[in-house]
Amino acid sequence: MSRGCEWRWGPSDSATLRRSTCRSRALRHHGGRRTLRVTHGQSSIWHLGIWHLASRAFPHPFFPARKSLSNAVMSLARATTAEIWSPRPPATVRRPSSRRIARAPVPRAAAEERAASVVPTLEDATRDAVPLAEAIGPSGPPGAAVFALLVNGGTRVHYVGVAKDASRALAAAASATVAADAMGDVAVAWANLPKSSRKPALQAAWRSWLGGVGYAPEGNAMAARAAAEPPTSPSPSSPSPSSPSRSSPSRSSPSSPDEAAVEIAYAAVSKEAVASLCDDGFVVLDDVLPADVLAACLDAANALKRSRKTVNVGQEGRDDSIAVLAGDALPAEGTALAGLSPCARTLLAVPAALRRRHVEMAADEDGSLGDEDGRYVGTGRRWRGANQGANPPGESSGRAEETMRRLATATAPDKLMLANYPGDGARYVAHLDNDPGDPRHSEGEPGLRASDRAVTAILYLNPDWEESHGGCLRVHLEGTGAKTTVDVAPSAGRMVLFDCRRIVHEVLPSHASRWAMTAWIND
Ligand SMILES: O=C(O)CCC(=O)C(=O)O
Ligand SMILES: [Fe+2]
């Protein structure tokens, strides 16, 4: 069954995004990578690089582990009569909220001289240092700035950085170089640079501060080491970004299943997807995992249900039955429920992927989003095109920055939820997963409270979902007084991420058995 009509945009059904839109989008944004995109019959666009990774983590008949990517392409082509598209020149997508920085060259000596004359010394700035929490809030540096993270009660310089969006960059630098439990002791000194500052001027200011420290700040040394190593992320069960396990193997050869899961999540959560999550509050990604991995998960979920391990929690307004999975005790290979684990691990890896994207995007000088990934389906950006002006721009960019800030400390939860709507019209009424106005959301253990949730990540397991099955996730778009909604079909391999303080959503009555696995990512 073609998934061509899954996207319905309300309030009327007038605009339907067909699969062909996604295809042309995938083509358009397919950059000069050494991967090919393949249409898999009518139903799917696969990103073969990810298939390849997935095959290492989750063995697959097409791709025995260690098979080369080109072999993988060919075996997929043989096996499915796939249509293979050739690479096109890369397309660069600009984030609408990003500030463009002019790039005309400035003579270095002149820039350095000017920077030296306008930037106060580190010593002077240190006298006005403020706690990190304050510096990344509204009273922090508003634009281009040179900054220093100070530890030991402000006596030792831990990191010196410079950025055009300093508030975001310093949050990223802190989360990448300071242990989570020491974060509260960090102070920030900064000096704003003229708005029009260009790269040489920024670098000159940075060099002048760094030179004034008199020793190599530990955070800069860490950042340099990380930059010299292939990008990686800690395992989902130890999510501290400054964990020593950062020095792990190369991107193309994940050595443990969890590293592979982080790579899969990282590839799915492209920069474009993160920008959309921040701007619009939600994002939809397709084909995050291969079909047979999802099918194995669905089989295991049904087995769990047959053994009566899913329960209805009796909460008014929700009709699903759920099982809770412990992240550190997922079913082992060879056991009856092992099929649940690859999906669970991928969801648990999303926070690490988000943190990595956060660091990258904070470091982006010009807001470039690079190549888009074919699995990004889109969100309200399309809606914005059709409904210009309904969302006040200032409000929406404030919310975007808030979401982006939270990604710096995205943390995997201890538990995941597997939910089944049995198909008798079962639904979940409109709600917020983290409602700041609901006192019950502050109940419970830290880390397990609804008030700790930042982003909801849901992976759907349902193959061949049809419109007549209902059961869409209805997303109420912000700034529209809930008048405009987007309905997202819960199709297998689709992942939805949303800011759970921002996005009101519901599950429409479901007329077929509907499975979803959910991770609430904390901040
Ligand atoms: O399964 C879904 O699409 C959403 C379920 C939901 O909103 C929840 O469990 O809080
Ligand atoms: Fe929810």
Side-chain angles (χ1 to χ4, degrees):
M1 161 61 59
S2 160
R3 299 191 300 172
C5 299
E6 284 168 343
W7 278 80
R8 290 204 313 276
W9 297 77
S12 74
D13 288 350
S14 56
T16 301
L17 295 182
R18 298 200 170 272
R19 196 71 200 170
S20 58
T21 317
C22 303
R23 282 189 187 188
S24 59
R25 194 173 171 79
L27 270 175
R28 211 174 39 248
H29 293 298
H30 181 232
R33 302 184 194 179
R34 292 235 208 98
T35 55
L36 299 172
R37 292 189 196 292
V38 174
T39 50
H40 188 60
Q42 263 200 301
S43 64
S44 200
I45 296 174
W46 291 111
H47 186 302
L48 286 177
I50 293 317
W51 266 62
H52 188 55
L53 279 171
S55 73
R56 285 165 176 263
F58 319 127
H60 181 281
F62 289 154
F63 303 132
R66 303 193 162 276
K67 210 167 197 179
S68 75
L69 184 54
S70 59
N71 281 351
V73 172
M74 290 325 296
S75 59
L76 180 63
R78 276 198 300 275
T80 66
T81 65
E83 175 192 342
I84 301 179
W85 289 320
S86 301
R88 297 280 164 97
T92 299
V93 183
R94 303 253 164 218
R95 192 169 27 200
S97 57
S98 71
R99 276 174 294 230
R100 297 277 314 268
I101 313 283
R103 286 197 160 274
V106 172
R108 172 145 294 169
E112 286 191 0
E113 206 178 298
R114 202 165 52 233
S117 68
V118 295
V119 181
T121 62
L122 172 60
E123 207 179 348
D124 285 345
T126 300
R127 280 193 279 276
D128 299 325
V130 300
L132 176 65
E134 209 174 298
I136 59 180
S139 56
V146 56
F147 61 88
L149 305 181
L150 309 171
V151 293
N152 290 1
T155 57
R156 187 166 177 87
V157 178
H158 174 74
Y159 181 85
V160 180
V162 70
K164 285 168 184 147
D165 181 352
S167 150
R168 201 194 272 188
L170 67 86
S175 76
T177 68
V178 180
D181 56 358
M183 217 55 125
D185 298 328
V186 177
V188 181
W190 79 84
N192 272 111
L193 294 164
K195 233 181 175 169
S196 59
S197 296
R198 293 176 184 160
K199 201 167 179 178
L202 298 180
Q203 284 176 341
W206 177 74
R207 267 197 301 275
S208 115
W209 272 35
L210 201 56
V213 176
Y215 51 88
E218 172 63 10
N220 287 80
M222 281 171 74
R225 276 198 302 273
E229 282 165 5
T232 181
S233 297
S235 80
S237 53
S238 56
S240 160
S242 55
S243 144
S245 72
R246 280 178 79 79
S247 54
S248 46
S250 102
R251 183 179 289 203
S252 59
S253 56
S255 69
S256 80
D258 287 337
E259 279 164 19
V262 172
E263 295 303 329
I264 289 164
Y266 174 80
V269 183
S270 61
K271 286 187 192 177
E272 171 83 16
V274 172
S276 218
L277 170 64
C278 295
D279 288 349
D280 308 319
F282 79 108
V283 67
V284 182
L285 307 164
D286 270 355
D287 301 333
V288 167
L289 286 167
D292 59 340
V293 170
L294 296 156
C297 189
L298 182 62
D299 284 350
N302 278 314
L304 197 71
K305 186 177 173 182
R306 280 195 301 277
S307 62
R308 299 180 194 282
K309 297 226 173 73
T310 54
V311 289
N312 179 289
V313 290
Q315 185 183 321
E316 201 176 331
R318 70 182 285 189
D319 306 323
D320 57 338
S321 290
I322 64 165
V324 174
L325 307 175
D328 58 359
L330 293 172
E333 224 169 287
T335 62
L337 300 178
L340 298 173
S341 299
C343 291
R345 290 206 309 263
T346 304
L347 276 169
L348 289 170
V350 171
L354 290 171
R355 288 198 307 274
R356 199 201 279 178
R357 288 294 185 199
H358 177 275
V359 170
E360 285 171 10
M361 291 169 80
D364 279 349
E365 298 238 316
D366 56 3
S368 155
L369 295 175
D371 299 341
E372 193 195 328
D373 193 283
R375 283 151 308 138
Y376 165 77
V377 176
T379 59
R381 187 162 306 166
R382 294 178 183 185
W383 162 80
R384 267 208 300 273
N387 298 269
Q388 289 289 330
N391 212 357
E395 244 178 67
S396 119
S397 78
R399 283 192 292 250
E401 291 193 356
E402 187 59 38
T403 301
M404 180 57 100
R405 251 196 296 279
R406 290 197 190 110
L407 300 187
T409 51
T411 307
D414 292 340
K415 296 184 166 65
L416 296 144
M417 181 180 78
L418 190 60
N420 177 241
Y421 293 73
D424 50 2
R427 62 176 302 180
Y428 195 154
V429 296
H431 65 282
L432 270 177
D433 286 355
N434 177 357
D435 183 351
D438 185 340
R440 286 169 307 172
H441 283 198
S442 302
E443 289 167 8
E445 296 279 308
L448 298 176
R449 304 173 299 208
S451 59
D452 297 324
R453 298 170 178 173
V455 173
T456 301
I458 308 175
L459 179 67
Y460 297 110
L461 307 178
N462 315 291
D464 304 325
W465 196 261
E466 292 175 20
E467 201 163 347
S468 62
H469 295 158
C472 283
L473 170 72
R474 173 161 287 181
V475 175
H476 295 256
L477 294 175
E478 292 177 300
T480 64
K483 283 200 202 83
T484 309
T485 56
V486 176
D487 292 347
V488 183
S491 302
R494 174 167 277 180
M495 188 185 280
V496 179
L497 303 177
F498 56 83
D499 183 324
C500 47
R501 294 179 179 97
R502 290 169 60 182
I503 295 296
V504 173
H505 59 283
E506 61 188 296
V507 177
L508 299 179
S510 188
H511 307 297
S513 175
R514 175 194 193 274
W515 282 101
M517 196 185 279
T518 300
W520 282 286
I521 295 167
N522 292 337
D523 58 2

